[in-house]
Amino acid sequence: MLDQRKSEIWKALGIGPQWIERDELAKAAEEAVKAKAQAAAVSPNSQPQAPTPAAASASSFANRAPQTSEAVTKPVASTSATTPSRVTSIISDRNAPPPRSARPEPAAKPAYRSASEARGVRPEAYTEARIHQIATADWQTLKQLVQDCRACEISSSRLHPVFGQGYPPCRLMLIGEAPGAEEDRLGQPFVGPSGKLLDKILEAAKLDREKDLCIFNTLKCRPPLNATPEKAESMACRPFLERQIELIDPEVIVAMGKPAASWFFPDLKTLNPYRGKVHNLTVQGKPRKVIVTYHPSYLLRSPQEKRKAWLDWCLILDTLS
């Protein structure tokens, strides 16, 4: 059901004055998918027709195939390494031994290292002693362990580790990807541009960031240049979030963005198949409800997806109710 909070979330997302009922949008999306499938079956090679009004209203629901372009490589004229004087001497003296082939030049070293090389994970990150220490830590000890962590090389480039926000117990837990520049500078989660959008959503939903929920990231340190976390880095940080979930003991977990959703669904390729539903999972030994939605930073880059995000937050409110 639509209530005042959901209306306020719609406004907070800045979608616009147009209102679309949830059932209407879902039906339009289904019709758009069927129309696309029928058009492909009739004429696979034909150009797509103009979308119907129903399809247009659900354009943000439909999955778009990525466009690719093939690079055209032009042949480069080869140049001979033999000088004219050398050619003349070889022709004039048939009995001269053939010239020694030039020693091959060593392969040029890459100007940069791969992310996994540049941000390697140290072997001690996976020791049983470290994992046991984290798994049995209380809240204050866990904070200190995050502060002292040097499991991977990105800890050397961070300004502040970001433990998270909130205290156990807490019913609602939001999980993001990794700290950004502002989070790294202040040591707090979601305080940059994406945090401001999240604050607007939470305020519209009448959820107090200090009392009603807690916020954590899958990674506690900011990767250089906000790079996507490597799998090894996420694995090194995983024991921290596992212990945080155990101590917070949330009933509802909201995974914001693909890296956060992948923490619960390792085979996840895209978010859409996992959105719009409540996943009843056993997380850290207890049944919990997991809801997948977009990361606020993605919504800033892709405002056309805000309608989907609104539906997700409506689902979150319904689940909490």
Side-chain angles (χ1 to χ4, degrees):
M1 295 177 61
L2 298 177
D3 57 24
Q4 184 63 29
R5 293 180 301 169
K6 296 174 183 178
S7 300
E8 293 299 323
I9 293 175
W10 179 277
K11 296 176 183 177
L13 285 168
I15 300 174
Q18 183 181 4
W19 187 270
I20 297 180
E21 296 284 353
R22 189 188 316 185
D23 294 339
E24 177 187 347
L25 189 59
K27 182 179 179 180
E30 184 179 355
E31 292 176 354
V33 173
K34 289 181 179 180
K36 184 176 180 181
Q38 292 174 355
V42 173
S43 180
N45 298 324
S46 62
Q47 295 294 327
Q49 298 179 356
T52 63
S57 65
S59 60
S60 61
F61 251 63
N63 294 325
R64 300 177 181 177
Q67 298 179 356
T68 58
S69 59
E70 298 181 356
V72 180
T73 305
K74 295 182 179 181
V76 180
S78 60
T79 58
S80 175
T82 309
T83 61
S85 59
R86 184 62 177 160
V87 173
T88 304
S89 64
I90 292 175
I91 295 176
S92 60
D93 190 359
R94 298 287 184 178
N95 297 324
R100 295 179 61 186
S101 59
R103 180 178 297 178
E105 294 292 335
K109 295 182 178 180
Y112 59 91
R113 295 181 295 170
S114 67
S116 58
E117 292 174 336
R119 309 197 306 267
V121 175
R122 299 182 176 93
E124 57 267 26
Y126 305 113
T127 61
E128 292 184 7
R130 176 180 182 265
I131 295 174
H132 177 75
Q133 184 183 26
I134 296 173
T136 56
D138 59 27
W139 196 248
Q140 292 302 323
T141 303
L142 191 62
K143 283 186 176 181
Q144 191 61 46
L145 290 175
V146 171
Q147 181 70 35
D148 298 338
C149 180
R150 295 292 185 272
C152 61
E153 290 186 10
I154 61 174
S155 61
S156 61
S157 64
R158 75 188 184 197
L159 295 177
H160 297 95
V162 180
F163 178 79
Q165 182 182 36
Y167 298 92
C170 191
R171 189 182 178 205
L172 174 62
M173 185 177 195
L174 307 185
I175 299 178
E177 175 184 343
E182 282 298 298
E183 289 80 4
D184 183 44
R185 184 176 69 86
L186 299 175
Q188 295 293 327
F190 286 89
V191 292
S194 62
K196 293 179 181 179
L197 177 58
L198 179 61
D199 286 342
K200 291 181 179 179
I201 295 173
L202 295 177
E203 182 180 359
K206 301 297 187 292
L207 293 172
D208 191 315
R209 179 165 169 160
E210 301 291 337
K211 300 177 181 179
D212 298 328
L213 59 119
C214 56
I215 306 175
F216 299 96
N217 286 313
T218 58
L219 221 63
K220 307 308 179 189
C221 298
R222 180 201 180 200
L225 302 178
N226 288 349
T228 300
E230 294 287 320
K231 182 178 180 180
E233 295 165 358
S234 298
M235 291 300 296
C237 247
R238 187 178 181 93
F240 289 129
L241 185 57
E242 288 177 344
R243 185 56 177 163
Q244 286 174 326
I245 293 175
E246 285 180 344
L247 294 174
I248 291 292
D249 195 22
E251 177 186 337
V252 179
I253 299 175
V254 178
M256 300 184 295
K258 185 177 177 181
S262 298
W263 202 91
F264 300 95
F265 306 100
D267 297 331
L268 178 143
K269 297 293 188 295
T270 60
L271 285 185
N272 281 332
Y274 295 84
R275 287 183 49 261
K277 61 190 75 173
V278 178
H279 303 271
N280 294 296
L281 304 178
T282 300
V283 184
Q284 297 308 110
K286 287 190 176 182
R288 310 185 196 275
K289 301 180 185 299
V290 178
I291 298 175
V292 174
T293 188
Y294 297 109
H295 194 282
S297 63
Y298 175 76
L299 297 178
L300 293 175
R301 300 191 305 268
S302 307
Q304 72 276 8
E305 305 290 9
K306 287 183 176 181
R307 293 184 179 183
K308 293 183 185 179
W310 175 74
L311 295 176
D312 295 336
W313 280 97
C314 289
L315 179 62
I316 293 168
L317 292 181
D318 290 341
T319 304
L320 289 172
S321 299

